[in-house]
Amino acid sequence: MPTFVPRLNHLAEWKQDLVIAFGTWVLGVLVYVSGMQVLLAGPDDTPLWIRLSELTVLCGLEMLRRKVPLALICALGVLAVDIAFGPSLPILIVFTDFLYATTLYGSRRTSRLMIGVAAIGTIAVVCLALIFSAQWRTAILAAFALLPFLVTPVWWAANVRQQRDIADSERANAVQLATIGELDRKAAVAGERSKMARDLHDVIAGHLSAIAIQSEAALSMATVDPKLSRKVLESVRENSVSALDEMRAMIGLLRADPSTGDTEIEPTAPARLAELSKLVESARASGLEVEIGSTPGQSAHLPAAVDLTAYRIAQEALTNAAKHAAGGRAVLDIRADGGILTVEVRNDLRPGSGSGDDGGTGLGLLNMRERAAAVGGTLAAGPSGGGWLVRAELPLEGS
């Protein structure tokens, strides 16, 4: 069963103050009726109606306890009247709540000031007791009996305020961390979109460029060499099917359910160096004479990211070579040595062919460089010995 304090905290502020005011008023009335209100020696000759009037006014001011310092000043007036008639316990108890509220709800400056007032008040109470009391021992005992009504509420409120400030700071930090996490998530999504854009460029630009070149070759050979023309058309069909398969895999990833990872379309495995022969046959069908220097053996265990990156770089470089050096010669060399996988594609340049980029989109070399950098490698491309050289070095460890 929930306690009273949590229930009270769920109320509006004015309702909380109303409950506190009514509770202290009832408690004070019971003390006055029982005659336990006397603090000093001797009987209390003040009429009960005056005491109850003081209590009612002070408890009514409890509705203003959060109005700092107005409530404390008004409460001091009631306390002064009570001391004039002879200090009573209920008024002193209710007044401590105003000290507590002023320290807790006031500004930081007010809260620090209340701590100083409590310290100075403690010394003042002891001094006044010694001055106005005939017996110093009795005076000191009386002074220390009154100190909890001055020091305890201020000390308690200062600790509550400190804990509240710490909680507010932690909540602010949590909000900031959540904001940073959301920004990181958006950055990750943007990075993933960039990777997909590179994949899309590689698939579409690579396969469709090969299809366009091979189709043109097939048309020119249709009457000259029907057998070779048929071989070129078979390569066109193979490129088309490969492009569709990879596009199907990408669409499946885009339509995946983030919460379960399920896809409506079964994704196909990304291309690897094991399928390099298909890539070379496609380039040859485009009219490019491709010579293979060396390639990693089937038993070579390459990190998946490096394997895919090497394949995509070779694909992009051969596609560019087929565009800019159609009918020319290209040498593909892929070797692993000393923890580095090196991919080299060297091709001839025809007069007026320009650089070996991607035919005007400006993305070919950029994508290759970004792919190499993504696995911690480097890529260089430029003229070399009358031709064009693309060289990528991809680390095999830590990828």
Side-chain angles (χ1 to χ4, degrees), residues 32 39 51 54 77-89 91-92:
Y32 281 127
L39 290 175
R51 294 299 192 186
E54 293 175 356
V78 177
L79 179 64
V81 173
D82 184 70
I83 293 175
F85 285 105
S88 61
L89 182 60
I91 297 298
L92 193 58

Side-chain angles (χ1 to χ4, degrees), residues 40 105 114 162 265:
L40 302 179
Y105 301 119
M114 290 300 298
Q162 182 182 24
I265 300 178

Side-chain angles (χ1 to χ4, degrees), residues 174-184:
V175 171
Q176 291 179 354
L177 289 175
T179 302
I180 293 173
E182 180 65 16
L183 293 176
D184 288 343

Side-chain angles (χ1 to χ4, degrees), residues 318-330:
L318 289 177
T319 299
N320 291 340
K323 291 179 184 177
H324 300 284
R329 178 174 173 271

Side-chain angles (χ1 to χ4, degrees), residues 240-252:
S240 302
V241 172
S242 297
L244 288 174
D245 286 342
E246 295 201 41
M247 285 297 294
R248 183 172 177 268
M250 184 172 294
I251 291 173

Side-chain angles (χ1 to χ4, degrees), residues 117-189:
V117 168
I120 296 173
T122 300
I123 299 174
V125 167
V126 175
C127 292
L128 289 175
L130 291 173
I131 292 172
F132 293 102
S133 178
Q135 297 181 354
W136 65 271
R137 291 182 179 178
T138 304
I140 292 178
L141 290 175
F144 278 99
L146 293 175
L147 288 183
F149 295 99
L150 180 63
V151 177
T152 301
V154 175
W155 169 80
W156 188 5
N159 278 275
V160 172
R161 183 182 185 119
Q162 182 182 24
Q163 296 301 320
R164 185 187 65 184
D165 291 343
I166 292 174
D168 291 341
S169 177
E170 291 297 329
R171 278 192 292 269
N173 290 338
V175 171
Q176 291 179 354
L177 289 175
T179 302
I180 293 173
E182 180 65 16
L183 293 176
D184 288 343
R185 187 191 67 81
K186 291 181 179 179
V189 170

